Amino acid sequence: MNCKPVAIGVEELADLAVGAAVLGTGGGGDPHIGAMMAAEAVRRHGPVQLLPLEALDPDDLLICSSGMGAPTVIIEKVPGGQEMVTAFRALQRRLGRQARAVMSVEAGGLNSTLPFVTAAELGLPVVDADGMGRAFPELQMMTLTIFGLPACPAALADERGNVVLYDALDNRWLERLARVHCVEFGSAAYVASYPLTAAQARQAAIPGTISLCLRIGRAIREARAAHRDPVAAVLAETGGFPLFRGKLVDVARRTTAGFARGEAWFDGTDHDEGRRFVVRFQNEHLTASEVDAGGDAGAGHPAGAGERLLCSVPDLITMLDAENGTPITTEALRYGLRVQAVAIPCDWRWRLPQGLGIAGPRAFGYDYDYVPVEQLAGAQAS
Amino acid sequence: MPRKIGTIEIEDIALGAAVLGTGGGGDPYIGKLMAAEAIDRFGPVDLIDLDDLADDDLVICSAMMGAPTVMVEKIPAGEEFVRAFEAIEARLGRKARAVMSAEAGGLNSTTPFITAAAMRRPLVDADGMGRAFPELQMVTLTLYGLSATPMSMADEKGNVVVLDCVDNLWTERLARTATVEMGCTAMIALYAATGAQLREAACRNTISLAQRVGAAIRTARAQQRDAVTAVLDVTGGFRLFKGKIVDVGRRTERGFARGHARLEGLGEHAGRTLEIEFQNEHLVARTDDRVLCSVPDLICLVDAESGEPITTEAMRYGFRVEVLGIPCDPRWRTAAGLELVGPGYFGYDFEYVPVEERVQG
């Protein structure tokens, strides 16, 4: 593996934001806002170095920097930029130690680029890894949790200057306490969490996520420029599967307990003409199913009466604009959108029993076991 | 000169604090049991005067936060107080010279003795209210610009949260939501301040006052004198109403015990009705035609026979009570004080009038 740092400037950030929105599975925040903020920080402070995990000493300290809240709120209440730095510094002070690099908690429109704001402001590099390899709605849903790494001490800050430090019993308790504060702040807050060493990150984090985002973003951009199919380019970079092609005919969403929850219904188009699909989300897409018109659940997975499961968490479900391949976040879903839904197999760590306990279908309240999307896709094809 | 507070003194303090708690501040019985247990285990606590502190001595308040209705059923394990206190010391990088009570009323008059005993620190004879109030920014310290933060919260499960907020109202908001999430109770440490700051901003000798009120009730009972008169003599308070509780409505919402009680008059008040509204503590007492007493003055319900103070969660149909009004600390009567804890803050649209004027009117 290449151990040389890569400089991330304004152009790279644009690719990164688009690629991260693909892995963000509809959530992780609006890529445009994150990219703008990071670009502004990079213009002011210069490019940020992206370091592979291998380039770090085993006991180097990493701290994750992220935004938290409902994406529906964050697109209207844009962070000022200092919130992340405030939280990061509060955690460094609590630890009595400076971080060697900033890490991203998740690949998502906002949370893949916000660490670059923190890094640019503090003059630190960003490490080429993250804690999900995708986006998830809750703080404890990290591969770091699977490996027993505590999210605490963690710090939360808002745009007013309020700071909260947590030493929670476990990562789930951090999520509960930070979530109520996030709601109290106005459903947007900025977090520094999961202080860990590079050695721990090598075991528990997902390596190469940032460069994968960069590659996906670049593939979409180049495919568009060359008038090639951007969807095919995404599938080639990610090893993903096409799920369905359709037109959005109904979307219901509600912002509850700090989350954007809801479901979107699609009428199949092109080779999926005559079929009907539903995608459910909580910030991120959780499940994609085909709905049988006749109410027959068929031989597929018991997703619900008259439904056949196509893909579920922790595998990735991403909506791409059918024409130009632009990833579509859940808050941008609206009537008439023509989409190509794609599924991307999740990182192997999520398929461990502990991983499925944290982020499998049952962790989101669905009463069925996880089946890898490769098998579901195979069942569909047969 | 420090004065030793042992289990006997704690009895009087808890009893008097229940009067100053104006119906809230948590069940003093539980606080008393926990403080007595801590004193049995670690020895008596030195009660020191504010004047015994050097100007730059650090003092930190120790308290319990939450809904009294929950506190009586979910009793703290004990270590939470120390864990919260130590979190502030760690955050400040400094040891506190003494512990202080945030409120002299109810449970929180005795809980600081648990912290003081376990940490072998003296307790300052002062508090931040001279009574009990439902929200943590409602202390005279806020009037002097002192910050509640860094503030820490610990629960019985092992969670610790440290807040640094832009103002004391934000601290209340964030601490309250965390308290609700922790199960409606949390042990807290807050208002780290120096001796010089507290000499100006704190309510002096309120622990001693609670002890005197408690001793007065105890002595009056032993001598078969009227305990209510004894309370009024010590506090400079007034008899507002004597009656029987005929209706109580309470609900626990957003971490508070809110509700109302209706009393039918007895004796000279026969034929009249008194309505009391509370949010953890009593906020206003009024008859059909006029307000008899309102925050920030103290409204206290005591058993008409024994003088035993009655908390809002203990009120029930049939209790025969005397309703007393006690003048608050004069700082609560300033414009800034009334803005923080006057009738307007609690949603009432009448002007505050001191209880001694209302009684004459």
Side-chain angles (χ1 to χ4, degrees):
Chain A
M1 186 171 284
N2 184 1
C3 278
K4 275 197 224 119
V6 180
I8 303 295
V10 175
E11 274 180 39
E12 288 80 8
L13 283 167
D15 283 344
L16 170 62
V18 171
V22 170
L23 298 186
T25 73
D30 184 87
H32 185 57
I33 286 173
M36 273 197 316
M37 289 182 56
E40 178 57 29
V42 164
R43 272 190 211 103
R44 209 165 44 231
H45 302 284
V48 171
Q49 301 293 310
L50 182 68
L51 287 182
L53 274 172
E54 289 74 15
L56 297 166
D57 285 337
D59 61 352
D60 278 346
L61 177 69
L62 306 174
I63 292 175
C64 291
S65 178
S66 59
M68 175 177 191
T72 40
V73 169
I74 293 175
I75 55 173
E76 299 199 0
K77 198 174 96 158
V78 180
Q82 284 306 306
E83 301 90 330
M84 273 92 68
V85 175
T86 303
F88 202 90
R89 285 199 169 125
L91 184 53
Q92 288 191 142
R93 188 170 61 172
R94 164 70 177 74
L95 296 167
R97 222 183 132 189
Q98 304 290 306
R100 168 75 177 86
V102 181
M103 195 169 105
S104 170
V105 291
E106 62 179 346
L110 205 53
N111 276 335
S112 59
T113 45
L114 286 184
F116 286 86
V117 179
T118 312
E121 295 278 348
L122 292 169
L124 290 174
V126 169
V127 68
D128 187 8
D130 82 329
M132 299 185 188
R134 49 163 295 156
F136 270 127
E138 299 183 18
L139 267 176
Q140 81 283 7
M141 295 175 172
M142 302 268 282
T143 51
L144 309 183
T145 303
I146 299 174
F147 289 85
L149 296 179
C152 288
L156 192 77
D158 72 356
E159 72 282 5
R160 302 167 193 86
N162 292 308
V163 180
V164 188
L165 271 166
Y166 303 89
D167 277 287
L169 193 60
D170 55 33
N171 297 353
R172 173 104 203 117
W173 264 104
L174 173 67
E175 161 62 27
R176 287 183 62 169
L177 295 170
R179 186 67 54 183
V180 294
H181 287 151
C182 172
V183 172
E184 198 66 21
F185 284 157
S187 279
Y190 299 88
V191 189
S193 62
Y194 289 96
L196 78 171
T197 64
Q200 289 171 319
R202 270 174 221 159
Q203 181 195 31
I206 298 177
T209 305
I210 307 291
S211 41
L212 174 61
C213 292
L214 286 164
R215 287 201 307 279
I216 297 170
R218 189 169 58 231
I220 293 174
R221 176 168 52 81
E222 290 176 354
R224 273 186 211 154
H227 300 290
R228 284 185 285 108
D229 178 15
V231 173
V234 168
L235 296 178
E237 274 305 338
T238 59
F241 306 85
L243 283 178
F244 63 84
R245 191 174 272 254
K247 183 183 125 175
L248 201 156
V249 292
D250 195 13
V251 59
R253 60 167 77 80
R254 54 201 188 279
T255 301
T256 54
F259 291 117
R261 295 172 202 257
E263 54 189 41
W265 296 78
F266 299 85
D267 279 347
T269 56
D270 305 286
H271 55 270
D272 289 321
E273 190 77 45
R275 301 170 71 192
R276 193 139 211 252
F277 306 93
V278 61
V279 171
R280 298 196 168 82
F281 54 87
Q282 175 185 336
N283 288 16
E284 285 74 35
H285 301 132
L286 301 178
T287 66
S289 305
E290 178 170 5
V291 187
D292 291 348
D296 174 17
H301 211 273
E307 285 186 30
R308 194 165 54 84
L309 188 72
L310 302 177
C311 184
S312 83
V313 279
D315 286 324
L316 288 67
I317 300 161
T318 293
M319 298 292 156
L320 301 174
D321 183 298
E323 297 306 315
N324 61 22
T326 301
I328 299 162
T329 58
T330 54
E331 66 269 19
L333 292 174
R334 63 179 178 282
Y335 179 84
L337 268 178
R338 283 161 198 280
V339 305
Q340 172 67 53
V342 303
I344 302 170
C346 64
D347 186 86
W348 61 270
R349 294 167 184 84
W350 286 122
R351 296 181 173 185
L352 298 170
Q354 304 96 310
L356 293 173
I358 294 165
R362 293 186 190 279
F364 291 94
Y366 296 101
D367 189 24
Y368 51 80
D369 289 322
Y370 168 72
V371 177
V373 64
E374 300 90 311
Q375 288 176 33
L376 286 174
Q380 191 187 1
S382 61
Chain B
M1 273 294 290
R3 196 152 67 74
K4 295 278 181 205
I5 302 293
T7 48
I8 294 175
E9 290 80 5
I10 286 288
E11 289 275 346
D12 284 344
I13 291 171
L15 185 56
V19 174
L20 301 180
T22 75
D27 190 337
Y29 183 68
I30 285 168
K32 179 180 78 177
L33 288 184
M34 292 194 301
E37 165 69 22
I39 287 169
D40 273 344
R41 192 157 148 218
F42 301 105
V45 171
D46 283 338
L47 187 70
I48 62 171
D49 195 87
L50 272 174
D51 292 330
D52 295 336
L53 295 169
D55 277 357
D56 62 350
D57 275 347
L58 179 70
V59 177
I60 300 173
C61 290
S62 176
M64 187 166 174
M65 182 165 184
T69 38
V70 172
M71 289 176 188
V72 295
E73 299 198 358
K74 196 178 96 164
I75 298 160
E79 294 81 28
E80 303 93 314
F81 291 103
V82 172
R83 208 178 302 128
F85 201 84
E86 286 178 339
I88 296 301
E89 291 189 326
R91 165 72 178 71
L92 295 173
R94 231 184 122 185
K95 293 273 183 211
R97 160 89 170 78
V99 182
M100 196 173 103
S101 171
E103 57 185 338
L107 182 69
N108 279 331
S109 63
T110 44
T111 51
F113 284 96
I114 303 166
T115 315
M119 303 194 73
R120 297 180 168 79
R121 312 281 172 88
L123 188 87
V124 179
D125 188 5
D127 82 318
M129 300 183 186
R131 48 165 294 163
F133 270 125
E135 300 180 18
L136 67 78
Q137 80 281 10
M138 297 174 172
V139 289
T140 49
L141 313 185
T142 301
L143 302 178
Y144 291 83
L146 297 183
S147 174
T149 61
M151 168 185 169
S152 64
M153 316 177 60
D155 68 10
E156 76 286 354
K157 296 171 270 292
N159 292 304
V160 177
V161 172
V162 177
L163 305 167
D164 271 287
C165 297
V166 290
D167 59 36
N168 294 348
L169 191 57
W170 265 105
T171 310
E172 161 65 24
R173 287 179 65 172
L174 298 179
R176 188 68 54 186
T177 54
T179 300
V180 172
E181 200 63 22
M182 286 170 167
C184 274
T185 61
M187 311 316 131
I188 62 176
L190 71 174
Y191 286 106
T194 65
Q197 288 172 322
L198 293 173
R199 272 194 281 278
E200 181 186 49
C203 299
R204 279 174 179 262
N205 305 322
T206 43
I207 303 300
S208 294
L209 173 64
Q211 193 183 349
R212 285 205 309 281
V213 172
I217 296 172
R218 177 171 51 83
T219 311
R221 277 186 203 155
Q223 299 173 351
Q224 314 220 315
R225 286 186 289 110
D226 179 24
V228 176
T229 306
V231 169
L232 297 177
D233 287 347
V234 176
T235 58
F238 305 90
R239 286 177 203 264
L240 299 177
F241 196 83
K242 185 173 185 176
K244 183 180 104 167
I245 298 176
V246 294
D247 188 27
V248 183
R250 58 168 80 81
R251 54 199 189 276
T252 301
E253 66 183 24
R254 281 176 292 155
F256 291 117
R258 293 172 200 259
H260 68 92
R262 201 165 68 242
L263 279 68
E264 273 175 10
L266 294 169
E268 63 171 300
H269 298 102
R272 293 168 61 196
T273 310
L274 186 81
E275 185 86 17
I276 292 173
E277 286 168 20
F278 56 85
Q279 176 186 334
N280 285 17
E281 286 74 37
H282 299 305
L283 301 175
V284 59
R286 54 182 155 194
T287 55
D288 297 334
D289 54 338
R290 65 193 189 95
V291 173
L292 296 184
C293 187
S294 81
V295 276
D297 286 327
L298 288 66
I299 299 163
C300 310
L301 267 65
V302 297
D303 184 288
E305 299 302 319
S306 66
E308 186 74 21
I310 297 163
T311 59
T312 56
E313 66 268 20
M315 289 193 296
R316 54 186 50 81
Y317 179 87
F319 273 24
R320 282 162 171 76
V321 301
E322 287 247 24
V323 182
L324 314 179
I326 300 174
C328 63
D329 187 282
R331 280 169 291 193
W332 288 131
R333 296 177 169 188
T334 61
L338 290 173
E339 193 181 328
L340 199 58
V341 296
Y345 179 86
F346 292 98
Y348 297 102
D349 61 0
F350 59 82
E351 291 290 313
Y352 167 74
V353 177
V355 63
E356 52 273 35
E357 288 173 34
R358 288 197 187 274
V359 168
Q360 284 167 3

